């Protein structure tokens, strides 16, 4: 757990994300089985596992889009869900979490800047958010975020006209404008060509260096090794590995992925 000294007093900082004993079933089939994980503030953590291993379910539970039957999720020290119940402060807690999807999840008919400004809606008063009235400062902030992700020149283009990589950049800019302290990214590069995928990984790495705690689910083992100091691997909804990615050797991968390991390693080479 991180600690800071303030006026000579040691203050403990709660972890960014704490998951304990999280179990979730879909129609009797187990998707998560007593999952436990802790992401310290500022960590960059990969979530790996073959298709159906529970990665998306876990990420959705961490930001309270879904509830599990048992277990708890705490965000920055506050409980978001516990034993199947979403806590009342979920909106406030969720405002700290940016979510990035494989399919970008932008409003395609809106421009890039309008999509980025959507990151402000949760923090705005009701009347302003319902009319989508943004202040000049908010617009400048959105433009700065688009500049930060390298697509300022696309600010007034409709999202539907942007490439996949550009759309993912808009989604990341939206997290910046939201002021997210935690980014959960569910296979953010799975729909991108290798070069765009690399750029998105560089960007996530860059934001993490600014202190944003980052949890990313992904398949490409080489990218996991290159960008992430630590990985958590799921298999059939259970955590089978939690440790330094340098220990995620081929033997460990074989155990985690079973027969699918070869396919993952070969696929990963395309990005190496
Ligand atoms: P991953 O993201 O690793 O591919 P998921 O979290 O999507 O895995 O899925 C884990 C398991 O839960 C799978 O068996 C999947 O079929 C099941 N599952 C996930 N979401 C649903 C849902 N909404 N309804 C029914 N089954 C689901
Ligand atoms: Mg998934």
């Amino acid at each position: 757990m991180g600690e800071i000294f303030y006026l000579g007093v040691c203050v403990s900082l709660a972890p960014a994300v704490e998951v304990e004993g999280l179990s979730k079933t879909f129609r009797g089939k187990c998707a998560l089985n007593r999952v436990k994980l802790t992401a310290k503030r500022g960590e960059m953590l990969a979530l790996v596992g073959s298709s159906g291993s529970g990665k998306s379910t876990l990420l959705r539970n961490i930001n309270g889009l879904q509830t599990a039957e048992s277990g708890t999720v705490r965000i920055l020290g506050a409980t978001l869900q516990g034993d199947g119940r979403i806590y009342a402060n979920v909106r406030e807690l969720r405002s700290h979490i940016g979510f990035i999807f494989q399919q970008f999840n932008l409003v395609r008919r809106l421009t890039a800047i309008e999509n980025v400004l959507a990151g402000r809606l949760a923090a705005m008063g009701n009347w302003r958010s319902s009319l989508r009235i943004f202040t000049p400062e908010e617009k400048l902030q959105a433009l700065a975020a688009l500049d930060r992700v390298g697509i300022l020149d696309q600010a007034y283009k409709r999202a539907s006209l942007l490439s996949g990589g550009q759309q993912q950049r808009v989604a990341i800019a939206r997290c910046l404008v939201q002021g997210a302290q935690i980014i959960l990214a569910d296979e953010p590069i799975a729909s991108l060509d290798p070069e765009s995928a690399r750029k998105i990984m560089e960007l996530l790495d860059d934001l993490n260096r600014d202190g944003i705690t980052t949890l990313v689910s992904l398949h490409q083992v080489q990218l996991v090794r290159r960008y992430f100091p630590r990985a958590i691997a799921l298999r059939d909804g259970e955590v089978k590995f939690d440790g330094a990615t340098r220990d995620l050797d081929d033997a460990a991968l074989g155990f985690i992925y079973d027969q699918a390991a070869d396919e993952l390693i070969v696929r990963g080479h395309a990005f190496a």
Side-chain angles (χ1 to χ4, degrees):
M1 189 178 290
E3 288 174 342
I4 54 168
F5 282 87
Y6 181 69
L7 298 177
V9 181
C10 178
V11 182
S12 282
L13 285 181
V17 178
E18 285 172 286
V19 175
E20 250 173 48
L22 204 70
S23 293
K24 169 88 183 162
T25 55
F26 288 106
R27 289 181 222 100
K29 191 176 174 296
C30 178
L32 296 176
N33 190 6
R34 284 171 289 175
V35 169
K36 178 177 166 55
L37 74 88
T38 301
K40 286 186 246 166
R41 292 185 194 217
E43 261 197 301
M44 174 109 174
L45 197 60
L47 191 58
V48 299
S50 52
S51 183
S53 60
K55 303 180 297 296
S56 298
T57 305
L58 177 56
L59 291 174
R60 279 199 294 267
N61 271 272
I62 290 176
N63 89 338
L65 283 172
Q66 229 169 41
T67 52
E69 284 89 45
S70 59
T72 54
V73 172
R74 279 190 296 275
I75 301 297
L76 304 164
T79 305
L80 181 143
Q81 66 160 295
D83 293 333
R85 196 166 67 83
I86 287 275
Y87 279 49
N89 55 350
V90 65
R91 265 183 70 131
E92 196 256 323
L93 292 180
R94 222 185 251 156
S95 73
H96 302 303
I97 307 174
F99 208 103
I100 294 173
F101 299 85
Q102 178 179 344
Q103 293 302 337
F104 326 124
N105 276 41
L106 303 181
V107 183
R108 292 173 59 79
R109 67 187 163 74
L110 296 183
T111 60
I113 187 172
E114 287 169 327
N115 273 283
V116 173
L117 282 165
R120 291 287 311 151
L121 290 174
M124 285 163 47
N126 276 345
W127 71 270
R128 269 212 310 135
S129 65
S130 61
L131 296 174
R132 290 181 170 259
I133 296 173
F134 298 100
T135 63
E137 289 74 23
E138 284 166 336
K139 289 178 191 165
L140 281 175
Q141 200 191 1
L143 290 171
L146 284 166
D147 193 21
R148 171 84 199 268
V149 301
I151 51 165
L152 180 58
D153 55 339
Q154 308 293 322
Y156 294 97
K157 217 184 228 184
R158 270 177 187 236
S160 58
L161 299 175
L162 300 175
S163 70
Q166 289 170 331
Q167 289 189 53
Q168 204 58 300
R169 282 161 188 267
V170 172
I172 293 172
R174 186 174 55 191
C175 293
L176 289 175
V177 160
Q178 181 191 338
Q181 295 183 45
I182 300 165
I183 289 184
L184 307 177
D186 193 5
E187 308 224 17
I189 57 170
S191 301
L192 302 179
D193 61 88
E195 183 53 17
S196 303
R198 192 186 59 74
K199 286 183 183 154
I200 293 296
M201 284 310 306
E202 296 283 343
L203 198 50
L204 289 173
D205 187 47
D206 196 41
L207 298 187
N208 172 254
R209 283 169 206 276
D210 282 354
I212 299 181
T213 310
T214 313
L215 260 81
V216 184
S217 75
L218 75 173
H219 277 295
Q220 298 84 354
V221 173
Q222 272 70 13
L223 292 186
V224 172
R225 288 183 180 143
R226 188 188 304 170
Y227 290 101
F228 298 84
R230 182 178 156 214
I232 288 182
L234 290 177
R235 180 172 158 173
D236 298 331
E238 285 185 30
V239 174
K240 294 291 185 190
F241 177 93
D242 181 352
T245 41
R246 63 173 174 275
D247 296 330
L248 205 55
D249 55 17
D250 290 353
L253 286 169
F255 174 67
I256 294 157
Y257 288 104
D258 210 2
Q259 65 275 37
D262 290 347
E263 182 202 339
L264 279 155
I265 292 163
V266 170
R267 264 211 266 166
H269 271 306
F271 291 86

